[in-house]
Amino acid sequence: QVQLVESGGGSVQAGESLRLTCKTSGYTYTRYCMGWFRQGPGKEREGVAGISTGGTYTVYADSVKGRFTISRDNTKDTLYLQMNSLKPEDTAMYYCAADSVPCSYLRADASDYWGQGTQVTVSS
């Protein structure tokens, strides 16, 4: 069955870094664009970063541009999110998601498969 399993979340101080990992299985990973989404307390789920099937195209929410980097390893069916210079407003549950072609990027309602999430907490 389809599985997306996130890891790497945790509690950090503002300015520190985390690297999230999403290991996938049960579907043809290379046929799907991938994305990271987050949902903070009392907020709607929002798109954070997206990446094309081959990894050559990436897109970011304005709030994370220059701080976060999305990447994928198609030999390992794995997605990553490097998060630097973390801020308290980055505190949220982070989810990875798979989006079939044609990709919508950063649209939560367009994703086909979801992970269970990993919590990121940033304190000031």
PDB file of all heavy atoms in Angstrom, residues 55-86:
ATOM      1  N   GLY A  55      13.066  16.714 -10.283  1.00  0.00           N
ATOM      2  CA  GLY A  55      13.813  17.531  -9.329  1.00  0.00           C
ATOM      3  C   GLY A  55      14.416  18.796  -9.887  1.00  0.00           C
ATOM      4  O   GLY A  55      15.103  19.527  -9.179  1.00  0.00           O
ATOM      5  N   THR A  56      14.134  19.088 -11.151  1.00  0.00           N
ATOM      6  CA  THR A  56      14.778  20.259 -11.763  1.00  0.00           C
ATOM      7  C   THR A  56      14.026  21.554 -11.510  1.00  0.00           C
ATOM      8  O   THR A  56      14.584  22.645 -11.679  1.00  0.00           O
ATOM      9  CB  THR A  56      14.908  20.052 -13.273  1.00  0.00           C
ATOM     10  OG1 THR A  56      13.612  19.803 -13.820  1.00  0.00           O
ATOM     11  CG2 THR A  56      15.837  18.888 -13.590  1.00  0.00           C
ATOM     12  N   TYR A  57      12.758  21.439 -11.129  1.00  0.00           N
ATOM     13  CA  TYR A  57      11.953  22.635 -10.853  1.00  0.00           C
ATOM     14  C   TYR A  57      11.498  22.610  -9.407  1.00  0.00           C
ATOM     15  O   TYR A  57      11.011  21.593  -8.916  1.00  0.00           O
ATOM     16  CB  TYR A  57      10.728  22.683 -11.765  1.00  0.00           C
ATOM     17  CG  TYR A  57       9.776  23.800 -11.435  1.00  0.00           C
ATOM     18  CD1 TYR A  57      10.043  25.112 -11.804  1.00  0.00           C
ATOM     19  CD2 TYR A  57       8.594  23.545 -10.727  1.00  0.00           C
ATOM     20  CE1 TYR A  57       9.166  26.137 -11.487  1.00  0.00           C
ATOM     21  CE2 TYR A  57       7.720  24.558 -10.410  1.00  0.00           C
ATOM     22  CZ  TYR A  57       8.009  25.851 -10.793  1.00  0.00           C
ATOM     23  OH  TYR A  57       7.140  26.863 -10.474  1.00  0.00           O
ATOM     24  N   THR A  58      11.686  23.738  -8.726  1.00  0.00           N
ATOM     25  CA  THR A  58      11.227  23.872  -7.342  1.00  0.00           C
ATOM     26  C   THR A  58      10.471  25.183  -7.162  1.00  0.00           C
ATOM     27  O   THR A  58      10.714  26.156  -7.884  1.00  0.00           O
ATOM     28  CB  THR A  58      12.402  23.843  -6.349  1.00  0.00           C
ATOM     29  OG1 THR A  58      13.325  24.894  -6.670  1.00  0.00           O
ATOM     30  CG2 THR A  58      13.120  22.504  -6.373  1.00  0.00           C
ATOM     31  N   VAL A  59       9.579  25.181  -6.206  1.00  0.00           N
ATOM     32  CA  VAL A  59       8.794  26.379  -5.916  1.00  0.00           C
ATOM     33  C   VAL A  59       8.605  26.462  -4.411  1.00  0.00           C
ATOM     34  O   VAL A  59       8.510  25.428  -3.731  1.00  0.00           O
ATOM     35  CB  VAL A  59       7.439  26.346  -6.659  1.00  0.00           C
ATOM     36  CG1 VAL A  59       6.600  25.153  -6.245  1.00  0.00           C
ATOM     37  CG2 VAL A  59       6.680  27.646  -6.488  1.00  0.00           C
ATOM     38  N   TYR A  60       8.567  27.703  -3.899  1.00  0.00           N
ATOM     39  CA  TYR A  60       8.489  27.910  -2.457  1.00  0.00           C
ATOM     40  C   TYR A  60       7.451  28.960  -2.109  1.00  0.00           C
ATOM     41  O   TYR A  60       7.212  29.904  -2.864  1.00  0.00           O
ATOM     42  CB  TYR A  60       9.850  28.379  -1.917  1.00  0.00           C
ATOM     43  CG  TYR A  60      10.961  27.382  -2.106  1.00  0.00           C
ATOM     44  CD1 TYR A  60      11.754  27.405  -3.245  1.00  0.00           C
ATOM     45  CD2 TYR A  60      11.193  26.401  -1.152  1.00  0.00           C
ATOM     46  CE1 TYR A  60      12.764  26.478  -3.433  1.00  0.00           C
ATOM     47  CE2 TYR A  60      12.204  25.474  -1.328  1.00  0.00           C
ATOM     48  CZ  TYR A  60      12.984  25.516  -2.465  1.00  0.00           C
ATOM     49  OH  TYR A  60      13.986  24.585  -2.643  1.00  0.00           O
ATOM     50  N   ALA A  61       6.882  28.812  -0.943  1.00  0.00           N
ATOM     51  CA  ALA A  61       6.058  29.876  -0.394  1.00  0.00           C
ATOM     52  C   ALA A  61       6.958  31.059  -0.066  1.00  0.00           C
ATOM     53  O   ALA A  61       8.123  30.876   0.308  1.00  0.00           O
ATOM     54  CB  ALA A  61       5.350  29.384   0.868  1.00  0.00           C
ATOM     55  N   ASP A  62       6.412  32.260  -0.200  1.00  0.00           N
ATOM     56  CA  ASP A  62       7.212  33.456   0.059  1.00  0.00           C
ATOM     57  C   ASP A  62       7.801  33.456   1.470  1.00  0.00           C
ATOM     58  O   ASP A  62       8.904  33.955   1.692  1.00  0.00           O
ATOM     59  CB  ASP A  62       6.358  34.710  -0.142  1.00  0.00           C
ATOM     60  CG  ASP A  62       6.055  34.968  -1.604  1.00  0.00           C
ATOM     61  OD1 ASP A  62       6.744  34.401  -2.472  1.00  0.00           O
ATOM     62  OD2 ASP A  62       5.111  35.731  -1.879  1.00  0.00           O
ATOM     63  N   SER A  63       7.075  32.895   2.398  1.00  0.00           N
ATOM     64  CA  SER A  63       7.492  32.935   3.800  1.00  0.00           C
ATOM     65  C   SER A  63       8.746  32.116   4.083  1.00  0.00           C
ATOM     66  O   SER A  63       9.387  32.305   5.121  1.00  0.00           O
ATOM     67  CB  SER A  63       6.359  32.458   4.701  1.00  0.00           C
ATOM     68  OG  SER A  63       5.967  31.147   4.336  1.00  0.00           O
ATOM     69  N   VAL A  64       9.110  31.202   3.172  1.00  0.00           N
ATOM     70  CA  VAL A  64      10.262  30.338   3.425  1.00  0.00           C
ATOM     71  C   VAL A  64      11.368  30.483   2.388  1.00  0.00           C
ATOM     72  O   VAL A  64      12.422  29.852   2.509  1.00  0.00           O
ATOM     73  CB  VAL A  64       9.847  28.855   3.523  1.00  0.00           C
ATOM     74  CG1 VAL A  64       8.736  28.678   4.554  1.00  0.00           C
ATOM     75  CG2 VAL A  64       9.433  28.298   2.176  1.00  0.00           C
ATOM     76  N   LYS A  65      11.133  31.302   1.362  1.00  0.00           N
ATOM     77  CA  LYS A  65      12.146  31.480   0.314  1.00  0.00           C
ATOM     78  C   LYS A  65      13.468  31.941   0.908  1.00  0.00           C
ATOM     79  O   LYS A  65      13.504  32.842   1.737  1.00  0.00           O
ATOM     80  CB  LYS A  65      11.660  32.505  -0.706  1.00  0.00           C
ATOM     81  CG  LYS A  65      10.708  31.956  -1.736  1.00  0.00           C
ATOM     82  CD  LYS A  65      10.294  33.035  -2.727  1.00  0.00           C
ATOM     83  CE  LYS A  65       9.274  32.501  -3.702  1.00  0.00           C
ATOM     84  NZ  LYS A  65       8.791  33.562  -4.634  1.00  0.00           N
ATOM     85  N   GLY A  66      14.542  31.316   0.457  1.00  0.00           N
ATOM     86  CA  GLY A  66      15.867  31.679   0.938  1.00  0.00           C
ATOM     87  C   GLY A  66      16.264  30.970   2.221  1.00  0.00           C
ATOM     88  O   GLY A  66      17.433  31.030   2.625  1.00  0.00           O
ATOM     89  N   ARG A  67      15.313  30.316   2.885  1.00  0.00           N
ATOM     90  CA  ARG A  67      15.608  29.609   4.139  1.00  0.00           C
ATOM     91  C   ARG A  67      15.424  28.105   4.012  1.00  0.00           C
ATOM     92  O   ARG A  67      16.149  27.336   4.635  1.00  0.00           O
ATOM     93  CB  ARG A  67      14.703  30.126   5.256  1.00  0.00           C
ATOM     94  CG  ARG A  67      14.862  31.609   5.554  1.00  0.00           C
ATOM     95  CD  ARG A  67      14.081  32.016   6.805  1.00  0.00           C
ATOM     96  NE  ARG A  67      12.649  31.792   6.678  1.00  0.00           N
ATOM     97  CZ  ARG A  67      11.939  31.013   7.503  1.00  0.00           C
ATOM     98  NH1 ARG A  67      12.536  30.380   8.506  1.00  0.00           N
ATOM     99  NH2 ARG A  67      10.642  30.877   7.334  1.00  0.00           N
ATOM    100  N   PHE A  68      14.452  27.678   3.219  1.00  0.00           N
ATOM    101  CA  PHE A  68      14.147  26.255   3.073  1.00  0.00           C
ATOM    102  C   PHE A  68      14.582  25.785   1.691  1.00  0.00           C
ATOM    103  O   PHE A  68      14.492  26.529   0.712  1.00  0.00           O
ATOM    104  CB  PHE A  68      12.648  26.001   3.211  1.00  0.00           C
ATOM    105  CG  PHE A  68      12.097  26.175   4.592  1.00  0.00           C
ATOM    106  CD1 PHE A  68      12.822  26.768   5.610  1.00  0.00           C
ATOM    107  CD2 PHE A  68      10.806  25.748   4.879  1.00  0.00           C
ATOM    108  CE1 PHE A  68      12.304  26.932   6.880  1.00  0.00           C
ATOM    109  CE2 PHE A  68      10.263  25.901   6.136  1.00  0.00           C
ATOM    110  CZ  PHE A  68      11.017  26.494   7.140  1.00  0.00           C
ATOM    111  N   THR A  69      15.000  24.513   1.613  1.00  0.00           N
ATOM    112  CA  THR A  69      15.371  23.904   0.342  1.00  0.00           C
ATOM    113  C   THR A  69      14.754  22.518   0.243  1.00  0.00           C
ATOM    114  O   THR A  69      14.978  21.673   1.118  1.00  0.00           O
ATOM    115  CB  THR A  69      16.893  23.781   0.201  1.00  0.00           C
ATOM    116  OG1 THR A  69      17.493  25.080   0.324  1.00  0.00           O
ATOM    117  CG2 THR A  69      17.256  23.191  -1.159  1.00  0.00           C
ATOM    118  N   ILE A  70      13.981  22.313  -0.822  1.00  0.00           N
ATOM    119  CA  ILE A  70      13.381  21.007  -1.063  1.00  0.00           C
ATOM    120  C   ILE A  70      14.256  20.248  -2.054  1.00  0.00           C
ATOM    121  O   ILE A  70      14.816  20.834  -2.984  1.00  0.00           O
ATOM    122  CB  ILE A  70      11.938  21.148  -1.592  1.00  0.00           C
ATOM    123  CG1 ILE A  70      11.244  19.788  -1.672  1.00  0.00           C
ATOM    124  CG2 ILE A  70      11.901  21.875  -2.935  1.00  0.00           C
ATOM    125  CD1 ILE A  70       9.751  19.889  -1.987  1.00  0.00           C
ATOM    126  N   SER A  71      14.375  18.937  -1.859  1.00  0.00           N
ATOM    127  CA  SER A  71      15.132  18.102  -2.779  1.00  0.00           C
ATOM    128  C   SER A  71      14.562  16.689  -2.739  1.00  0.00           C
ATOM    129  O   SER A  71      13.796  16.351  -1.822  1.00  0.00           O
ATOM    130  CB  SER A  71      16.627  18.095  -2.419  1.00  0.00           C
ATOM    131  OG  SER A  71      16.828  17.559  -1.127  1.00  0.00           O
ATOM    132  N   ARG A  72      14.927  15.905  -3.724  1.00  0.00           N
ATOM    133  CA  ARG A  72      14.445  14.529  -3.780  1.00  0.00           C
ATOM    134  C   ARG A  72      15.544  13.632  -4.306  1.00  0.00           C
ATOM    135  O   ARG A  72      16.372  14.047  -5.122  1.00  0.00           O
ATOM    136  CB  ARG A  72      13.194  14.423  -4.645  1.00  0.00           C
ATOM    137  CG  ARG A  72      13.386  14.751  -6.103  1.00  0.00           C
ATOM    138  CD  ARG A  72      12.041  14.836  -6.836  1.00  0.00           C
ATOM    139  NE  ARG A  72      11.366  13.555  -6.880  1.00  0.00           N
ATOM    140  CZ  ARG A  72      10.072  13.417  -7.205  1.00  0.00           C
ATOM    141  NH1 ARG A  72       9.352  14.485  -7.486  1.00  0.00           N
ATOM    142  NH2 ARG A  72       9.525  12.220  -7.245  1.00  0.00           N
ATOM    143  N   ASP A  73      15.521  12.389  -3.865  1.00  0.00           N
ATOM    144  CA  ASP A  73      16.431  11.364  -4.356  1.00  0.00           C
ATOM    145  C   ASP A  73      15.578  10.286  -5.003  1.00  0.00           C
ATOM    146  O   ASP A  73      14.925   9.506  -4.300  1.00  0.00           O
ATOM    147  CB  ASP A  73      17.263  10.797  -3.197  1.00  0.00           C
ATOM    148  CG  ASP A  73      18.335   9.825  -3.672  1.00  0.00           C
ATOM    149  OD1 ASP A  73      18.182   9.257  -4.772  1.00  0.00           O
ATOM    150  OD2 ASP A  73      19.303   9.620  -2.932  1.00  0.00           O
ATOM    151  N   ASN A  74      15.571  10.270  -6.317  1.00  0.00           N
ATOM    152  CA  ASN A  74      14.711   9.328  -7.030  1.00  0.00           C
ATOM    153  C   ASN A  74      15.265   7.905  -7.025  1.00  0.00           C
ATOM    154  O   ASN A  74      14.570   6.977  -7.452  1.00  0.00           O
ATOM    155  CB  ASN A  74      14.480   9.796  -8.458  1.00  0.00           C
ATOM    156  CG  ASN A  74      13.467  10.928  -8.524  1.00  0.00           C
ATOM    157  OD1 ASN A  74      12.879  11.309  -7.504  1.00  0.00           O
ATOM    158  ND2 ASN A  74      13.279  11.490  -9.697  1.00  0.00           N
ATOM    159  N   THR A  75      16.465   7.720  -6.564  1.00  0.00           N
ATOM    160  CA  THR A  75      17.006   6.362  -6.412  1.00  0.00           C
ATOM    161  C   THR A  75      16.570   5.750  -5.079  1.00  0.00           C
ATOM    162  O   THR A  75      16.645   4.537  -4.899  1.00  0.00           O
ATOM    163  CB  THR A  75      18.536   6.358  -6.475  1.00  0.00           C
ATOM    164  OG1 THR A  75      19.071   7.031  -5.331  1.00  0.00           O
ATOM    165  CG2 THR A  75      19.026   7.039  -7.740  1.00  0.00           C
ATOM    166  N   LYS A  76      16.127   6.620  -4.164  1.00  0.00           N
ATOM    167  CA  LYS A  76      15.719   6.146  -2.834  1.00  0.00           C
ATOM    168  C   LYS A  76      14.246   6.421  -2.548  1.00  0.00           C
ATOM    169  O   LYS A  76      13.775   6.154  -1.434  1.00  0.00           O
ATOM    170  CB  LYS A  76      16.571   6.821  -1.755  1.00  0.00           C
ATOM    171  CG  LYS A  76      18.054   6.496  -1.835  1.00  0.00           C
ATOM    172  CD  LYS A  76      18.825   7.188  -0.725  1.00  0.00           C
ATOM    173  CE  LYS A  76      20.304   6.845  -0.797  1.00  0.00           C
ATOM    174  NZ  LYS A  76      21.078   7.528   0.271  1.00  0.00           N
ATOM    175  N   ASP A  77      13.528   6.978  -3.524  1.00  0.00           N
ATOM    176  CA  ASP A  77      12.110   7.312  -3.341  1.00  0.00           C
ATOM    177  C   ASP A  77      11.920   8.163  -2.088  1.00  0.00           C
ATOM    178  O   ASP A  77      10.980   7.932  -1.298  1.00  0.00           O
ATOM    179  CB  ASP A  77      11.255   6.045  -3.253  1.00  0.00           C
ATOM    180  CG  ASP A  77      11.236   5.274  -4.562  1.00  0.00           C
ATOM    181  OD1 ASP A  77      11.762   5.781  -5.568  1.00  0.00           O
ATOM    182  OD2 ASP A  77      10.693   4.154  -4.576  1.00  0.00           O
ATOM    183  N   THR A  78      12.778   9.134  -1.907  1.00  0.00           N
ATOM    184  CA  THR A  78      12.799   9.921  -0.678  1.00  0.00           C
ATOM    185  C   THR A  78      12.823  11.415  -0.989  1.00  0.00           C
ATOM    186  O   THR A  78      13.501  11.846  -1.929  1.00  0.00           O
ATOM    187  CB  THR A  78      14.013   9.536   0.186  1.00  0.00           C
ATOM    188  OG1 THR A  78      13.942   8.142   0.485  1.00  0.00           O
ATOM    189  CG2 THR A  78      14.033  10.318   1.491  1.00  0.00           C
ATOM    190  N   LEU A  79      12.110  12.149  -0.174  1.00  0.00           N
ATOM    191  CA  LEU A  79      11.987  13.597  -0.289  1.00  0.00           C
ATOM    192  C   LEU A  79      12.602  14.243   0.943  1.00  0.00           C
ATOM    193  O   LEU A  79      12.525  13.679   2.040  1.00  0.00           O
ATOM    194  CB  LEU A  79      10.517  13.982  -0.390  1.00  0.00           C
ATOM    195  CG  LEU A  79      10.147  15.448  -0.478  1.00  0.00           C
ATOM    196  CD1 LEU A  79      10.507  15.998  -1.860  1.00  0.00           C
ATOM    197  CD2 LEU A  79       8.659  15.631  -0.202  1.00  0.00           C
ATOM    198  N   TYR A  80      13.190  15.425   0.752  1.00  0.00           N
ATOM    199  CA  TYR A  80      13.834  16.124   1.867  1.00  0.00           C
ATOM    200  C   TYR A  80      13.378  17.579   1.929  1.00  0.00           C
ATOM    201  O   TYR A  80      12.967  18.165   0.924  1.00  0.00           O
ATOM    202  CB  TYR A  80      15.359  16.110   1.702  1.00  0.00           C
ATOM    203  CG  TYR A  80      15.947  14.739   1.553  1.00  0.00           C
ATOM    204  CD1 TYR A  80      16.249  14.224   0.289  1.00  0.00           C
ATOM    205  CD2 TYR A  80      16.206  13.950   2.667  1.00  0.00           C
ATOM    206  CE1 TYR A  80      16.782  12.968   0.142  1.00  0.00           C
ATOM    207  CE2 TYR A  80      16.753  12.676   2.522  1.00  0.00           C
ATOM    208  CZ  TYR A  80      17.035  12.195   1.259  1.00  0.00           C
ATOM    209  OH  TYR A  80      17.566  10.943   1.121  1.00  0.00           O
ATOM    210  N   LEU A  81      13.483  18.148   3.130  1.00  0.00           N
ATOM    211  CA  LEU A  81      13.287  19.583   3.294  1.00  0.00           C
ATOM    212  C   LEU A  81      14.337  20.080   4.283  1.00  0.00           C
ATOM    213  O   LEU A  81      14.283  19.743   5.468  1.00  0.00           O
ATOM    214  CB  LEU A  81      11.889  19.922   3.798  1.00  0.00           C
ATOM    215  CG  LEU A  81      11.591  21.420   3.890  1.00  0.00           C
ATOM    216  CD1 LEU A  81      11.529  22.045   2.486  1.00  0.00           C
ATOM    217  CD2 LEU A  81      10.285  21.682   4.635  1.00  0.00           C
ATOM    218  N   GLN A  82      15.293  20.839   3.780  1.00  0.00           N
ATOM    219  CA  GLN A  82      16.288  21.458   4.639  1.00  0.00           C
ATOM    220  C   GLN A  82      15.754  22.809   5.086  1.00  0.00           C
ATOM    221  O   GLN A  82      15.426  23.656   4.255  1.00  0.00           O
ATOM    222  CB  GLN A  82      17.602  21.638   3.888  1.00  0.00           C
ATOM    223  CG  GLN A  82      18.697  22.327   4.687  1.00  0.00           C
ATOM    224  CD  GLN A  82      19.164  21.490   5.868  1.00  0.00           C
ATOM    225  OE1 GLN A  82      19.363  20.284   5.727  1.00  0.00           O
ATOM    226  NE2 GLN A  82      19.343  22.131   7.021  1.00  0.00           N
ATOM    227  N   MET A  83      15.657  22.994   6.388  1.00  0.00           N
ATOM    228  CA  MET A  83      15.089  24.209   6.950  1.00  0.00           C
ATOM    229  C   MET A  83      16.158  24.923   7.773  1.00  0.00           C
ATOM    230  O   MET A  83      16.616  24.387   8.790  1.00  0.00           O
ATOM    231  CB  MET A  83      13.881  23.877   7.821  1.00  0.00           C
ATOM    232  CG  MET A  83      12.812  23.078   7.104  1.00  0.00           C
ATOM    233  SD  MET A  83      11.300  22.867   8.081  1.00  0.00           S
ATOM    234  CE  MET A  83      11.940  21.892   9.431  1.00  0.00           C
ATOM    235  N   ASN A  84      16.557  26.085   7.316  1.00  0.00           N
ATOM    236  CA  ASN A  84      17.562  26.883   8.017  1.00  0.00           C
ATOM    237  C   ASN A  84      16.925  28.153   8.568  1.00  0.00           C
ATOM    238  O   ASN A  84      15.844  28.553   8.155  1.00  0.00           O
ATOM    239  CB  ASN A  84      18.695  27.247   7.070  1.00  0.00           C
ATOM    240  CG  ASN A  84      19.431  26.039   6.532  1.00  0.00           C
ATOM    241  OD1 ASN A  84      19.524  25.009   7.207  1.00  0.00           O
ATOM    242  ND2 ASN A  84      19.967  26.144   5.326  1.00  0.00           N
ATOM    243  N   SER A  85      17.626  28.785   9.491  1.00  0.00           N
ATOM    244  CA  SER A  85      17.172  30.054  10.079  1.00  0.00           C
ATOM    245  C   SER A  85      15.714  29.965  10.511  1.00  0.00           C
ATOM    246  O   SER A  85      14.901  30.836  10.181  1.00  0.00           O
ATOM    247  CB  SER A  85      17.360  31.196   9.069  1.00  0.00           C
ATOM    248  OG  SER A  85      18.708  31.293   8.662  1.00  0.00           O
ATOM    249  N   LEU A  86      15.403  28.938  11.244  1.00  0.00           N
ATOM    250  CA  LEU A  86      14.010  28.711  11.649  1.00  0.00           C
ATOM    251  C   LEU A  86      13.502  29.829  12.546  1.00  0.00           C
ATOM    252  O   LEU A  86      14.250  30.406  13.351  1.00  0.00           O
ATOM    253  CB  LEU A  86      13.882  27.360  12.336  1.00  0.00           C
ATOM    254  CG  LEU A  86      13.864  26.171  11.375  1.00  0.00           C
ATOM    255  CD1 LEU A  86      14.202  24.887  12.097  1.00  0.00           C
ATOM    256  CD2 LEU A  86      12.511  26.069  10.683  1.00  0.00           C
TER     257      LEU A  86
END
